[in-house]
Amino acid sequence: MSAVETGHASQSVMEQVGPNIIHHVSNSDISHPLYHIPPLFGIDFSVTKHVLMLWIVALLVGIAVIIPIRKFLSSNKTAPSGWMNGIEAIVQFIRDSIVKPNVGPKWVMTWTPLVLTFFFFILFANGIGMIPIFDVLGAFNRFALDVPASDSHNMINNILHGGVTATGNFNVTAGLATITFFSIMVAGTMAHGFINHWKNLAPHGLAWPVYIILIPIELMGLFVKPFALTMRLAANMTGGHIALLALLSLMAIFGEMFGAGAGIGVSVIAVPMAAGIAGLEIIVVLVQAYVFTLLTAVFVGMAIHVHH
C-alpha cells in the first residue's frame, strides 16, 4: 500500500467526507486527464471529464434535436408527429413566451436560435448530471470485475475522478455567459449602431454631474450580468449534488461515531431526504435552463429597447 493510500486509510470518516464531496462534484484533475494533449502556447488542452461531458452533451443534442428537425424539414410532412411534437412545443414556447416579449417581433427570429441553443444545451447538460453513469461503471468495475480503486492504469478508474455535471463547472458557465455578453453588444449595435449603443448605456438628458456616478455604475452592470449568469447556474447545479452527498455521508459519520446500528438508523431519515432532494434537483434542472435562457433574452432585449 502506498503512503497516500495509508494516509487515507488512517483518516477518520469526518476527515474524508469533505474531500470526497469535492472530488465527486469538481472536474477531474488536470494533472491526470482522461487524454493528455501536449500544451499549445502554454495552454493545456488535455481532455478532462467535463470536456468529455460537453462533447457527449453536444452529441446528444444533435441526435435528439438537430437531426429530427432537419429530417422533418426535408420531408414533405405538413405537421410534426411523435418526438417532433414535443420539440415544436418547446420551440414555440421559447419563441413566443420568452424571446418575442423581450426582443420584440422585429428581432425575434434573429435571437430565437441562440436562446434555443442555450436552452437545449443547458437542459441536456443539467439532466445528464442527474444520471450516475460513471458511478454505476465504477461499482461494476470494483465488485464485478474485482478491480481495486488504486489501479491507476484501469480505464474505468480513470474516468471516475470528478463530477459529470459540466454546468457545475464555473469555466463552462462563464463560457456560456461570455456568449451572452457579446450577444448583448451585437444586439445593441445591430439595433442602434456601434456608437449609439455605447451612448445608450446611460439615460439621456440628465445633469452632467450625474453621469460621473452613473456611467461607472452602468459599465459595472454590463459585466455583472454575465457574472450573475455564471454564478447562478454553476452554484445551483453544484449545490444540489453537495446536499445529496452530505446527507448520504451522515450514515458513514454516525456509523463511525456511534456504531453500525446508528448508521443504519440515520439511513432511515437520510435516504428519503436524499430522494426528496433528488426529485427537487429534477425541477432545478428544468428551472435553471429556463432561467438562463430567459435572462439572456431579457439582457438582449434591454440592449435593443433602451430605457423602456
Side-chain angles (χ1 to χ4, degrees), residues 4 10 56 68 80 84 90 214 224 238 243 270:
V4 175
S10 63
I56 293 175
M84 271 302 302
I90 294 172
L214 190 59
V224 166
T238 303

Side-chain angles (χ1 to χ4, degrees), residues 27-51:
N27 195 10
S28 58
D29 191 353
I30 195 67
S31 62
H32 296 89
L34 304 183
Y35 183 78
H36 179 71
I37 299 176
L40 182 63
F41 302 112
I43 301 174
D44 194 338
F45 287 96
S46 297
V47 179
T48 61
K49 194 170 186 179
H50 283 172
V51 172

Side-chain angles (χ1 to χ4, degrees), residues 90-153:
I90 294 172
V91 169
Q92 287 184 345
F93 171 77
I94 291 177
R95 183 194 65 191
D96 298 337
S97 300
I98 296 179
V99 183
K100 190 175 181 178
N102 287 291
V103 306
K106 178 180 178 181
W107 301 99
V108 62
M109 297 311 295
T110 302
W111 294 105
T112 296
L114 174 69
V115 176
L116 281 171
T117 303
F118 273 147
F119 179 81
F120 283 115
F121 186 83
I122 295 171
L123 180 65
F124 275 69
N126 292 352
I128 288 177
M130 294 296 298
I131 304 173
I133 306 170
F134 297 100
D135 298 284
V136 172
L137 285 175
F140 177 80
N141 194 46
R142 184 71 179 274
F143 298 109
L145 302 180
D146 198 27
V147 177
S150 58
D151 185 358
S152 60
H153 299 289

Side-chain angles (χ1 to χ4, degrees), residues 196-277:
N196 286 332
H197 167 67
W198 290 101
K199 287 183 178 179
N200 290 335
L201 285 179
H204 303 295
L206 300 178
W208 70 265
V210 177
Y211 290 105
I212 299 175
I213 301 174
L214 190 59
I215 291 176
I217 292 175
E218 291 293 339
L219 288 175
M220 288 175 60
L222 198 64
F223 294 97
V224 166
K225 292 172 185 175
F227 178 77
L229 290 175
T230 298
M231 300 301 293
R232 179 183 287 106
L233 178 56
N236 276 282
M237 295 316 302
T238 303
H241 293 293
I242 291 176
L244 277 172
L245 293 167
L247 276 173
L248 296 176
S249 297
L250 288 176
M251 295 183 288
I253 293 172
F254 275 77
E256 183 188 53
M257 294 176 64
F258 306 109
I264 296 173
V266 170
S267 68
V268 176
I269 301 174
V271 172
M273 288 183 65
I277 292 178

